[in-house]
Amino acid sequence: MTDSAASTSAQSAAKPPGLRERMRATVRKEVVEVALRLFVEQGFDRTTVDQIAGEVGLSRASLFRYFGTKEDMVLQGLEESGRQIAEEFAARPEDERPWESLRRAFDVLTRSNEAAPERALSYLRMLQETPSLRARHFEKQLRWQEMLVPEIARRLDVSLDRPEEIRPNALAASALACLDAAATGWVACEGTVPLAVLLDRAMGTLTE
């Protein structure tokens, strides 16, 4: 590749989103904000798609062009959360034990949840109390596990090509189970114990 072509390619890669993409992102953000408010106020099952569409000034058909399901309006941010956790994990010191690195990577969530605890508690409570959301949330967390496993395997110096090598998946799944246990406890105690403390307790149990 010539210097000119490389420069053109780099500029193309760095090109900011176009107007249509920015407008789409703005609408999606507004829909999520309105939907979450209505879900918290009325309950997920009692809030209709037509209500959400009416508040943001969209038709029902238009709304479904932004979100495939009502559940997606609640869970669309979880993919990004998973990427942030995976990036934080990859940035941890090489000589740190993977389990400790996973704990520190979850600080991405503890910081954001404790910055707005009432909103976070309402959101988590809704996830825990709504069967359809619980099921979709589990699917999202499986994706988080898939994001974490390659870096865990690298740190353990093991090959994922060997089907009997289960340690990376075991570590990722165990850490996410501890995260769920901590979140459940945080909601149950109405946030009186910090989420980070509960997560320390949960993950510490497996190292005692």
Side-chain angles (χ1 to χ4, degrees):
M1 182 182 289
T2 66
D3 290 344
S4 176
S7 176
T8 300
S9 177
Q11 289 175 0
S12 176
K15 184 178 179 181
L19 178 60
R20 177 174 293 183
E21 289 78 10
R22 295 199 303 273
M23 290 179 64
R24 183 176 180 83
T26 298
V27 172
R28 285 176 64 88
K29 181 179 179 182
E30 183 180 359
V31 170
V32 168
E33 289 175 352
V34 168
L36 289 178
R37 175 175 56 79
L38 291 174
F39 292 153
V40 169
E41 290 175 355
Q42 304 175 172
F44 180 81
D45 291 329
R46 290 190 294 274
T47 301
T48 67
V49 171
D50 289 333
Q51 280 182 293
I52 299 167
E55 288 224 14
V56 295
L58 293 173
S59 68
R60 180 186 179 91
S62 295
L63 188 65
F64 279 124
R65 285 200 287 270
Y66 290 95
F67 297 93
T69 66
K70 193 168 72 167
E71 286 82 3
D72 288 338
M73 299 175 201
V74 177
L75 301 173
Q76 64 95 28
L78 291 183
E79 188 78 14
E80 178 60 24
S81 294
R83 281 193 292 270
Q84 291 174 350
I85 292 169
E87 289 170 2
E88 190 79 6
F89 177 63
R92 297 299 303 174
E94 287 284 333
D95 60 351
E96 191 171 62
R97 295 177 64 231
W99 190 250
E100 178 62 22
S101 294
L102 286 166
R103 169 60 192 89
R104 296 277 64 88
F106 290 151
D107 284 339
V108 168
L109 297 181
T110 62
R111 286 193 299 264
S112 63
N113 285 346
E114 292 180 350
E118 291 304 318
R119 179 185 177 94
L121 284 166
S122 296
Y123 178 80
L124 290 171
R125 189 177 297 109
M126 179 172 57
L127 290 185
Q128 294 170 13
E129 294 176 351
T130 309
S132 62
L133 290 177
R134 281 205 309 272
R136 291 291 304 279
H137 184 234
F138 178 71
E139 291 176 9
K140 294 287 186 181
Q141 284 205 329
L142 286 178
R143 176 60 184 142
W144 290 9
Q145 182 173 328
E146 292 171 0
M147 293 179 185
L148 290 167
V149 161
E151 177 64 12
I152 296 174
R154 188 189 70 79
R155 289 177 178 238
L156 294 177
D157 194 24
V158 299
S159 173
L160 293 176
D161 293 333
R162 298 171 57 194
E164 71 275 17
E165 185 49 80
I166 61 172
R167 286 177 292 171
N169 273 292
L171 275 175
S174 298
L176 289 170
C178 288
L179 178 63
D180 281 343
T184 299
W186 195 49
V187 171
C189 74
E190 297 290 340
T192 55
V193 179
L195 178 59
V197 171
L198 294 173
L199 185 53
D200 286 337
R201 288 178 186 171
M203 295 187 73
T205 300
L206 301 187
T207 58
E208 291 177 353

